[in-house]
Amino acid sequence: MSKAFLRESDLGTVPEPAPLAQVLPAGARNYLTQAGAERLREELTQFVQQERPRLTGSDDPEIQRQLKVLDQRIRYLQQSLATAEIVSPPEHNDGVVRFGASVTVEAEDGEVTKYRIVGVDEADFEDSAVSWTSPIARALLNHRRGDIVRFKAPAGERRLEILHVEY
């Protein structure tokens, strides 16, 4: 079919990006550590000051798609930062696991793992940063060094002993 028989709106249409999933449970507060909030602010600044201007003004459909995805991420970061509650670490470490803690645990099989409990927008599995809404974090919160906690993992129930808590 010749392009002469196509409407102008049919040429180079850019599909809308899929909406971003809501990561916070309904009614939950958007907690962030100070470091996490700073990283999100830096990402937002880079996108607004560098990435978006680089993409603006092009008629290329792929560039327009990238711009829509970037704008969506920018809106998400703006909303996240606007609703964030920055949680400072406690003044002194009393050994109780709270938001922002790095917790070293030992499993029944002797495996030692360290988790850092952070906000949902800071979670990074490769960095052992787990969201405070995750099953492991929920199991650890409000317990202290020496406690044995149980939690349901995909492979079944696990028992962990809290070895160390730091902020």
Side-chain angles (χ1 to χ4, degrees):
M1 178 186 299
S2 168
K3 286 187 178 183
F5 295 104
L6 294 176
R7 291 179 297 216
E8 193 173 315
S9 63
D10 291 338
L11 298 174
T13 58
V14 179
E16 288 294 319
L20 293 173
Q22 176 66 316
V23 292
L24 271 175
R29 293 182 169 175
N30 184 20
Y31 297 123
L32 286 176
T33 64
Q34 184 64 43
E38 288 172 16
R39 280 192 300 277
L40 293 180
R41 282 188 204 102
E42 289 170 6
E43 181 181 0
L44 178 60
T45 299
Q46 178 186 352
F47 286 164
V48 170
Q49 293 180 357
Q50 296 171 6
E51 297 298 319
R52 192 170 197 297
R54 184 179 60 77
L55 296 174
T56 303
S58 174
D59 291 334
D60 181 327
E62 176 57 24
I63 299 294
Q64 289 179 357
R65 187 194 65 73
Q66 289 175 13
L67 184 60
K68 284 187 177 192
V69 170
L70 182 66
D71 283 344
Q72 187 179 51
R73 178 67 179 162
I74 288 170
R75 283 190 303 275
Y76 181 86
L77 289 170
Q78 288 170 332
Q79 179 184 9
S80 180
L81 288 166
T83 61
E85 293 184 35
I86 310 302
V87 178
S88 299
E91 290 184 26
H92 53 76
N93 185 356
D94 59 2
V96 176
V97 179
R98 293 187 180 87
F99 182 86
S102 290
V103 186
T104 305
V105 298
E106 183 176 4
E108 295 168 293
D109 63 4
E111 179 183 358
V112 175
T113 308
K114 187 174 188 176
Y115 298 101
R116 194 165 39 93
I117 301 174
V118 297
V120 294
D121 291 329
E122 303 173 79
D124 181 356
F125 183 74
E126 292 179 10
D127 192 30
S128 297
V130 296
S131 164
W132 67 273
T133 62
S134 69
I136 184 71
R138 288 181 156 288
L140 294 171
L141 285 168
N142 298 315
H143 287 277
R144 62 179 59 246
R145 193 183 70 214
D147 286 354
I148 306 285
V149 297
R150 290 173 167 50
F151 84 100
K152 291 185 181 182
E157 186 172 286
R158 296 189 65 192
R159 290 177 39 166
L160 304 172
E161 179 180 356
I162 299 174
L163 300 177
H164 187 70
V165 179
E166 61 185 311
Y167 291 90

